[in-house]
Amino acid sequence: EEQLFARIKKSDFAGLPETDHRIIGERLDLFSFQEPSPGMVYWHHKGLKLRTLLIEFMRGELAKGGYVEISTPGLMSNSLWKVSGHWDHYKQNMFLTTMGDEEFGLKPMNCPPTMLYYRTRRWSFRELPLRVSCFDSLYRNELSGVATGLFRVKSFSQDDAHIFAAEEQVEGEVKGIIDLMDKVFRVFGLEYKLNLSTMPEEHLGTKDLWDKATETLSRVMEAKGLPYRVKEKDGAFYGPKIDVDIKDSMGREWQNSTIQLDYQLPQRFKLTYTGSDGKEHTPVVIHRAVYGSLERFIGVYIEHVQGRFPIWISPVQ
C-alpha cells in the first residue's frame, strides 16, 4: 500500500532547476505522476483544462482546412499490425496481450485503423484530398519515466491526421501542412527548424518509391525557400519524413512535428479511389502531426513561458 499510494512529488525532483516543467507543473497543480502508472500522466483539473484548450484551438484550425475527425478502438488484433508492418518493424515498442488464441496490441499509432476507416466505402477523385484527424490516446512501450517527465511518456495523444491524396495533389498538401505549422508556432512564439529524414536500413517498399517520396518532400521545402538539414536513415519504416524541431526560450530544440509521405500502407491495405478516367487508382497517404505529442508539447511550452500562460489558454482566469 505504501508503494501504491506513493505520489511522485516535487521533492522527488531534487536538484532540478525551478525552470523545469515538472517543478512548475507541481507548483501550478497541472499534473502528477503516480507509482502504479510508470511513464504515464495524471492530468489534474487545471492541466486538463490547458490540454483541452490546446486541442480545441487545433480543432478550429482543422475545421478551416476541411478536416473530418474520427476515433478508433485502442486495442486491435495482430492481423491488423501484420498488414501494416508494425508487427515486424515495431512490435518491440507495443503493449501486447492475448484473447483466446489471438494476440492483440494497444495502438501505438493511428495510421493502421485510419486505413480501415478509408476502406469502409468507395471514394471518387472528386472527394480527394480527404483529410482525416484523430486525437485518440496512443501507447508505446518505450524508455520513459519520471526522469523525463512529459517529454517521453508511455501513454500520450497526438493531433494526428492522415491525408489521402491523388499523386498530383501531394505537393500542394505538404505545402499546406507547412503553412499550418508555421501559423501554429507563430501563435505560441516558437521558432522551428526543418529536417529531412531519409530511408532507414529496415524499411518497406522499393528504393525507387523512397527516392520519389524523398525528392517530393525536398522539392516542397526548396520551393518555399525553407532551409533544412538531412537526417540520414532516420525516416519511418514506411516512408521519408520532414521532422520539425521547435526551439524554446532557453534555446533548446525539441522534435515534435512531422510530415511523412507514404506509398506503402495504401498498397498494403489495398486502398483505391475512382479516377476521372473511371479506373481504380491508389492514393498517396500523408501522415502529419503539428503539436506532435500533446504531452511533450505542453512540457516544452510550460518551460518556454515558465508557467505564465497567455490568457486564452490559461487554466486560471
Side-chain angles (χ1 to χ4, degrees), residues 12-28:
D12 296 311
F13 303 134
L16 293 177
E18 289 295 316
T19 56
D20 191 280
H21 73 278
R22 290 159 288 185
I23 300 292
I24 297 172
E26 173 85 11
R27 174 165 51 83
L28 298 182

Side-chain angles (χ1 to χ4, degrees), residues 4-287:
L4 174 63
F5 299 125
R7 182 166 66 88
I8 298 170
K9 306 179 293 300
K10 182 177 178 179
S11 58
D12 296 311
F13 303 134
L16 293 177
E18 289 295 316
T19 56
D20 191 280
H21 73 278
R22 290 159 288 185
I23 300 292
I24 297 172
E26 173 85 11
R27 174 165 51 83
L28 298 182
D29 193 26
L30 301 178
F31 55 83
S32 64
F33 295 92
Q34 309 284 346
E35 289 288 353
S37 311
M40 301 183 190
V41 188
Y42 286 71
W43 290 105
H44 297 194
H45 172 68
K46 295 174 185 176
L48 185 61
K49 189 172 183 179
L50 168 65
R51 186 176 181 275
T52 301
L53 287 168
L54 288 174
I55 291 174
E56 290 307 313
F57 166 70
M58 184 58 70
R59 281 189 170 128
E61 293 302 311
L62 298 184
K64 297 173 189 175
Y67 283 75
V68 297
E69 184 176 341
I70 66 170
S71 179
T72 62
L75 185 67
M76 298 164 193
S77 79
N78 63 7
S79 59
L80 175 70
W81 306 117
K82 287 178 179 178
V83 172
S84 68
H86 287 82
W87 203 252
D88 293 328
H89 297 272
Y90 204 78
K91 182 180 178 181
Q92 71 277 10
N93 296 124
M94 294 175 63
F95 287 103
L96 306 176
T97 187
T98 58
M99 283 193 279
D101 296 329
E102 194 171 3
E103 288 187 282
F104 286 74
L106 288 174
K107 67 177 178 182
M109 300 174 185
N110 288 308
C111 28
T114 303
M115 304 299 133
L116 296 185
Y117 162 75
Y118 184 91
R119 284 175 54 91
T120 58
R121 51 161 291 195
R122 294 176 63 87
W123 301 91
S124 163
F125 72 95
R126 296 185 180 88
E127 298 171 286
L128 301 186
L130 173 67
R131 307 180 184 104
V132 183
S133 68
C134 185
F135 291 88
D136 287 351
S137 295
L138 302 174
Y139 301 87
R140 296 181 186 175
N141 190 15
E142 298 178 336
L143 292 174
S144 61
V146 68
T148 51
L150 295 176
F151 293 157
R152 184 176 290 275
V153 289
K154 295 180 183 290
S155 174
F156 62 98
S157 295
Q158 293 181 319
D159 63 316
D160 221 349
H162 296 84
I163 299 172
F164 300 85
E167 183 75 49
E168 63 272 16
Q169 297 171 328
V170 169
E171 289 193 27
E173 289 301 302
V174 174
K175 289 177 183 176
I177 296 168
I178 292 175
D179 289 342
L180 174 60
M181 287 180 173
D182 183 73
K183 178 179 181 180
V184 170
F185 294 147
R186 287 180 185 276
V187 166
F188 291 100
L190 293 164
E191 298 179 17
Y192 64 93
K193 293 180 179 178
L194 303 181
N195 306 287
L196 178 61
S197 299
T198 63
M199 185 176 72
E201 293 290 347
E202 290 192 21
H203 60 271
L204 299 175
T206 64
K207 185 178 183 301
D208 288 345
L209 273 181
W210 274 84
D211 289 345
K212 178 181 180 181
T214 304
E215 288 167 7
T216 298
L217 294 178
S218 176
R219 189 161 55 248
V220 169
M221 289 186 285
E222 290 171 1
K224 293 184 72 65
L226 297 170
Y228 64 89
R229 299 172 292 188
V230 176
K231 296 169 70 176
E232 296 289 353
K233 301 181 180 181
D234 204 32
F237 66 84
Y238 46 78
K241 55 182 179 171
I242 297 173
D243 286 326
V244 183
D245 296 335
I246 56 177
K247 183 184 290 186
D248 64 20
S249 60
M250 289 171 272
R252 300 171 304 177
E253 295 182 358
W254 304 96
Q255 196 276 306
N256 254 42
S257 312
T258 187
I259 306 171
Q260 304 170 4
L261 192 51
D262 179 10
Y263 287 87
Q264 309 306 323
L265 292 189
Q267 293 180 0
R268 293 174 73 91
F269 280 90
K270 297 179 172 58
L271 306 186
T272 63
Y273 68 92
T274 304
S276 57
D277 57 2
K279 298 178 181 179
E280 296 299 296
H281 299 266
T282 301
V284 181
V285 172
I286 305 168
H287 309 239

